């Protein structure tokens, strides 16, 4: 039984999020997903998410292949989460390349290529542009 852990904000869920969760699950048998809280996300990106942490957690929990979800309160606690959930593999998108190598002492660390051409930021920009057009 290989336990895989990954983390994210997963705001305005899109195919890039879905694919990294599917590929993470394919590396093991049990997928655990840490959802960054609204406070952590604000501290990281200085902007509010569109969906609350509770909605983002519920949405990710409903994705087939996701076995467990929890709230990620700080980037610094990753080692504790890896130990608490007994993860064998930490998976992140390659936009985080090298940032979590320190955890190679605890588990395998794998960076997967991001899905190009889609991001929550781009989606929100398109919606703003569209609403300006039709306003
Ligand atoms: N992702 C992807 N392709 C995209 C967009 C995102 O593969 N087009 C991946 C990211 O690389 C990340 C995951 O989807 O592994 C979640 O992305 P975000 O919701 O943007 O989360 P992020 O801000 O990277 O938060 O502890 C780390 C943070 O919680 C990660």
């Amino acid at each position: 039984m290989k336990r895989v852990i990954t983390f994210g904000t997963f705001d305005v869920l899109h195919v890039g999020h879905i694919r990294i969760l599917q590929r993470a699950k394919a590396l093991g048998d049990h997928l655990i997903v840490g959802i960054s809280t609204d406070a952590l996300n604000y501290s990281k990106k200085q902007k509010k998410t569109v969906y609350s942490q509770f909605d983002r957690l519920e949405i990710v929990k409903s994705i087939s292949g996701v076995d467990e979800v929890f709230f990620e309160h700080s980037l610094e606690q990753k080692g504790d989460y890896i130990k608490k959930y007994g993860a064998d593999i930490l998976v992140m998108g390659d936009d985080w390349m090298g940032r979590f190598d320190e955890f190679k002492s605890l588990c395998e660390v794998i960076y997967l290529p991001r899905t190009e051409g889609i991001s929550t930021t781009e989606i929100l920009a398109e919606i703003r542009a569209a609403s300006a057009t039709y306003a």
Side-chain angles (χ1 to χ4, degrees):
M1 166 80 138
K2 271 223 165 163
R3 299 169 66 83
V4 182
I5 195 165
T6 191
F7 298 82
T9 307
F10 301 106
D11 192 28
V12 192
L13 202 79
H14 55 69
V15 73
H17 296 139
I18 297 293
R19 287 183 188 149
I20 199 150
L21 293 171
Q22 288 171 334
R23 285 180 288 155
K25 180 60 181 270
L27 292 168
D29 312 284
H30 186 84
L31 178 61
I32 305 137
V33 186
I35 310 290
S36 53
T37 59
D38 297 338
L40 174 58
N41 195 70
Y42 195 85
S43 69
K44 271 191 312 177
K45 304 180 180 177
Q46 284 68 51
K47 55 184 176 187
K48 254 175 66 38
T49 53
V50 174
Y51 300 160
S52 76
Q53 61 189 52
F54 302 102
D55 288 0
R56 291 182 285 115
L57 184 111
E58 192 176 336
I59 290 166
V60 172
K61 191 172 178 211
S62 72
I63 297 169
S64 68
V66 173
D67 300 290
E68 243 177 301
V69 289
F70 67 95
F71 283 127
E72 176 195 20
H73 293 278
S74 117
L75 292 181
E76 280 65 51
Q77 285 175 18
K78 266 200 179 50
D80 304 332
Y81 295 132
I82 290 167
K83 284 182 261 179
K84 178 178 176 187
Y85 291 96
D88 304 296
I89 306 174
L90 166 63
V91 169
M92 293 299 296
D94 60 7
D95 47 324
W96 291 90
M97 185 59 75
R99 297 274 301 280
F100 304 123
D101 289 357
E102 65 192 282
F103 301 115
K104 287 186 175 173
S105 57
L106 297 174
C107 64
E108 218 179 319
V109 178
I110 298 176
Y111 302 97
L112 296 175
R114 276 171 65 89
T115 299
E116 291 313 322
I118 187 155
S119 74
T120 301
T121 306
E122 285 164 24
I123 292 168
L124 295 177
E126 278 170 40
I127 292 169
R128 286 194 197 92
S131 54
T133 312
Y134 302 112

